[in-house]
Amino acid sequence: MERIGQIGGSTYAVAVRGNHAYIGTGPRLSVLDVSNPARPSVIGQTNILPGIIYDVVVLGEYAYIADGEGGLFVFDISNSTHPTEVGFYDTPGEARGIVVVGEYAYIADGDSGLRIINVTNPEHPGEVGYHDTPGYAYDVAVVGHYAYIADGNRGLHIINISNPARPSLVNSYNTGEWAYGVTVTGDYAYIAESTRLHILNVADPSHPIEVYSYRSLLDASDVIVVGDYAYVADRGGLYIINISNPAHPVEIGMYYNHISGIDARHIAVSGNYAYLTSGSSGLRIINVTDLRSPAEVGSYTTLGDGEGVAVVEGYAYVAGYTSGLRIINVTDPSHPTETGFYNTPEYALDVVVAGEYAYVAGYASGLRIINVSNLAQPYEVSHYQIPGMVYSVAVSGTYAYVGGSRLSIVDVSNPATPEEVSTYDTLALDVAVAGDYVYVAGYYDLRIIDISDPAHPHKVGFYDTPGCALGIAVAGNYVYVADYDHGLRIINVADPANPLEVGFYNTQGYARDVAVAGNYVYVADESSLSVFYVADPANPILVGFYDTPGVASDVAVAGDYVYIADRDGGLLILRFSSPVSTFIIPTGGGSFISPVDHTEYTFAANTFTDTVIITHIPVFPKDAPSPGSLIGINHFFKVTAVFSSTGQLVQLAPGQTYTITVHYTDAEEGPAIEDTLALYYWDGSQWGKEPSSEANMDTNTIIAYPSHFSLWAVLGETRRMYLPLVLKSYW
């Protein structure tokens, strides 16, 4: 899997210096010119980082980034148009908050507590100490010899950092609910905690005393103090509170963000402006010259949460949750650019494109039909309200099949006047249409609905999957189900009344969606993308894997490219180069080399009675049977052969053999003893050594002359056994 491009993502982090705002855009740090706050513009951007950016500190010529699962990253920003990565440190948890004081970066590292990183040399940051708090560390503030941690449901933790190598707990304060943000100024700590702003006197850090709890907030996530005022980032917008008397704070101003479902995370104040991150809605710039009447003057928005994706003729259509429908030009996948957008009024969860129209599943707002004939100016032509929730949509012919609290079949022959023709009472989290059937991922099971007469749909079959069926795709006689905590399930539906599971693969994450292209199945696995070779549906083989920065929620495939709606990570574009090699061997014989692992095959003339197709499939070591007391050197592969005319499996005639030559490197040997390396085959219950296997240590090759096709592995021993030496002594 090769990462090609990325665009968008949620904005949680912000820092402002001069005319530049540094914000997180999913897995990238973007530099905005805010000299004109009404029209902020991007002037620079980092490369794609492995996690989502949750916090950023700008100090001197460097930006220090809390990159979620990616840990700490340091960028040289002396040239703001070209930020350059200079160093990183992969913290053990999820880096959520960061402060840099003197030689040290203090990181609120999720369930790994406080991590203290020496950044004297930004190119080589290294951990010097840590304190594992009992909750989930979201934010950190440092004053003097103390670090203050907003520790989720465990409230505030005060840690002595006078010796950075041995930080120690001084005291804690249980705020009652979830503590997300903290700042300390003077003798007071201010804690943004769900519905409250807590103000604690910490003049004596060993005995924090609450002096006030302000409770008119919706869901506070961050707080900073400038002079006599506390600025609180909240789900509802921005609160400005006079704290000149911390024991009697007074709310004096509020900016209510009219965008529903906003997830305000961080706030920065510079001059007369407050910069508020708003999750999937980007950055809001608010004039606070008049503290009693703050007003938004500008914003920077991009594709926020990528929830659903469809790709048609060089354009990706993304259901962006709170950011509506976004249309992305992907004709150059390495540089995707937004062409147009339409802000749907409700959460956009799924999208499909047919002809000149995009059909968007709008959660509580039903089906929205958007004309995309002019990609730069899409507009809604109709809206069909469907009772209950709406999660998914598929279009076939003149009908839209809308999945949600029920399955709705909507006639869209005239997109301007959609008309529901029938419903079927079943929970439908995802739907796929093939022929006369709708296949429904219904959480508890797969349901097959006959829609040969759309006005009278009826169930013909179902299959109870072991987990929660969330995503579904159909190809030929097989249905592929993303079954959440049970991975990929492959179900034969040749007889729709009697569906039967024939294969499965338990993915490492939580399967949410699935797509099929040729012999490959792509599973959006929440934290990753997994690709399977399914030429034999009974034995899916993992052949590709990519760990995404966000939450992989939906997947679409077009040509060699894979498009992932990665929630906070925006739209991620990968290129999949199949490691599976197929070669045609005529009766006159032939040879070939697998381009992935350079395994060579040679077949003599008359090895086969007809033309044969040989398939070489590299296998991940973790997916191969355990070698027991032996050790593998990362050369596991499966070889199959079928007649090109009939597709029937081939086995060699008695007495016939072929040649396999496996190349390995010195680095691959690892602890294996080189002269014990040999080719082994799996007989269904154990590994057996191929009798003809020979190792050539001068050329680093294993050569064998087998008479059958199998799952193969190069295995070796890690220790030798010696017979005891007995000496006879004469006296």
Side-chain angles (χ1 to χ4, degrees), residues 63 284 372 404 454 558 562 566 591 614 659 721:
R284 328 299 294 189
V372 292
V562 186
D566 199 38
S591 61
I614 306 293
T659 305
M721 181 178 293

Side-chain angles (χ1 to χ4, degrees), residues 479-549:
V479 170
Y480 301 85
V481 178
D483 202 38
Y484 199 59
D485 52 354
H486 283 75
L488 171 67
R489 318 305 294 195
I490 303 177
I491 301 168
N492 187 317
V493 291
D495 178 2
N498 296 286
L500 177 66
E501 182 173 281
V502 295
F504 69 91
Y505 188 101
N506 286 325
T507 55
Q508 72 169 26
Y510 297 101
R512 302 188 65 89
D513 191 48
V514 59
V516 182
N519 285 326
Y520 298 93
V521 171
Y522 303 77
V523 177
D525 200 27
E526 200 158 88
S527 62
S528 61
L529 175 78
S530 298
V531 186
F532 300 91
Y533 183 67
V534 292
D536 177 7
N539 294 287
I541 298 173
L542 181 67
V543 293
F545 179 85
Y546 188 88
D547 189 3
T548 69

Side-chain angles (χ1 to χ4, degrees), residues 89-440:
Y89 182 84
D90 188 4
T91 59
E94 187 177 32
R96 300 294 296 245
I98 183 170
V99 170
V100 179
V101 179
E103 299 177 350
Y104 301 102
Y106 300 85
I107 296 176
D109 201 40
D111 54 13
S112 291
L114 172 69
R115 318 304 293 198
I116 303 177
I117 313 297
N118 189 315
V119 291
T120 304
N121 181 353
E123 296 182 7
H124 299 286
E127 184 172 277
V128 296
Y130 70 92
H131 181 84
D132 193 359
T133 58
Y136 190 93
Y138 282 98
D139 197 16
V140 56
V142 173
V143 175
H145 294 311
Y146 300 95
Y148 300 80
I149 303 293
D151 201 39
N153 65 346
R154 296 304 184 94
L156 177 70
H157 284 259
I158 304 175
I159 299 170
N160 188 316
I161 53 170
S162 56
N163 180 354
R166 293 189 176 182
S168 58
L169 180 67
V170 175
N171 207 340
S172 60
Y173 185 86
N174 188 353
T175 54
E177 296 186 42
W178 286 79
Y180 292 112
V182 59
T183 191
V184 178
T185 182
D187 290 338
Y188 296 94
Y190 301 83
I191 305 163
E193 175 255 39
S194 297
T195 60
R196 296 171 183 262
L197 174 66
H198 292 270
I199 304 177
L200 274 62
N201 186 316
V202 291
D204 178 1
S206 63
H207 294 91
I209 301 171
E210 182 167 277
V211 296
Y212 200 88
S213 175
Y214 185 82
R215 187 180 183 174
S216 68
L217 309 177
L218 292 176
D219 192 1
S221 57
D222 192 25
V223 56
I224 64 171
V225 172
V226 179
D228 288 336
Y229 301 96
Y231 297 78
V232 181
D234 183 83
R235 188 178 65 187
L238 169 68
Y239 289 85
I240 303 175
I241 302 171
N242 187 319
I243 44 101
S244 55
N245 182 351
H248 297 284
V250 178
E251 180 184 318
I252 63 168
M254 177 187 178
Y255 168 73
Y256 174 74
N257 199 311
H258 64 280
I259 298 177
S260 62
I262 199 154
D263 186 16
R265 278 294 177 184
H266 280 79
I267 187 171
V269 175
S270 179
N272 293 326
Y273 298 95
Y275 299 81
L276 180 70
T277 67
S278 55
S280 60
S281 297
L283 178 73
R284 328 299 294 189
I285 303 178
I286 302 163
N287 189 318
V288 291
T289 304
D290 181 354
L291 295 175
R292 298 183 181 278
S293 300
E296 181 175 318
V297 294
S299 64
Y300 175 77
T301 59
T302 184
L303 190 165
D305 288 355
E307 190 70 31
V309 60
V311 180
V312 178
E313 297 180 351
Y315 291 88
Y317 299 79
V318 180
Y321 200 57
T322 60
S323 60
L325 174 67
R326 320 298 290 202
I327 303 175
I328 312 298
N329 186 328
V330 292
T331 51
D332 178 2
S334 61
H335 296 93
T337 57
E338 185 165 89
T339 299
F341 67 92
Y342 181 82
N343 281 330
T344 57
E346 266 286 353
Y347 305 133
L349 299 184
D350 194 19
V351 59
V352 64
V353 177
E356 296 182 347
Y357 300 95
Y359 299 80
V360 177
Y363 192 53
S365 68
L367 175 66
R368 314 201 78 94
I369 304 178
I370 300 167
N371 187 308
V372 292
S373 56
N374 182 344
L375 296 169
Q377 295 182 326
Y379 62 93
E380 185 172 282
V381 296
S382 63
H383 162 229
Y384 190 85
Q385 184 66 52
I386 294 173
M389 303 297 103
V390 171
Y391 304 112
S392 59
V393 59
V395 174
S396 179
T398 59
Y399 294 95
Y401 300 85
V402 184
S405 303
R406 67 185 190 185
L407 174 66
S408 297
I409 302 178
V410 181
D411 185 339
V412 292
S413 53
N414 182 353
T417 57
E419 181 181 357
E420 187 173 76
V421 296
S422 63
T423 63
Y424 186 84
D425 187 16
T426 182
L427 177 64
L429 300 180
D430 197 14
V431 293
V433 183
D436 290 335
Y437 300 99
V438 173
Y439 300 86
V440 175

Side-chain angles (χ1 to χ4, degrees), residues 545-570:
F545 179 85
Y546 188 88
D547 189 3
T548 69
V551 175
S553 299
D554 198 14
V555 58
V557 181
D560 293 334
Y561 297 98
V562 186
Y563 301 83
I564 303 170
D566 199 38
R567 287 206 179 165
D568 285 347

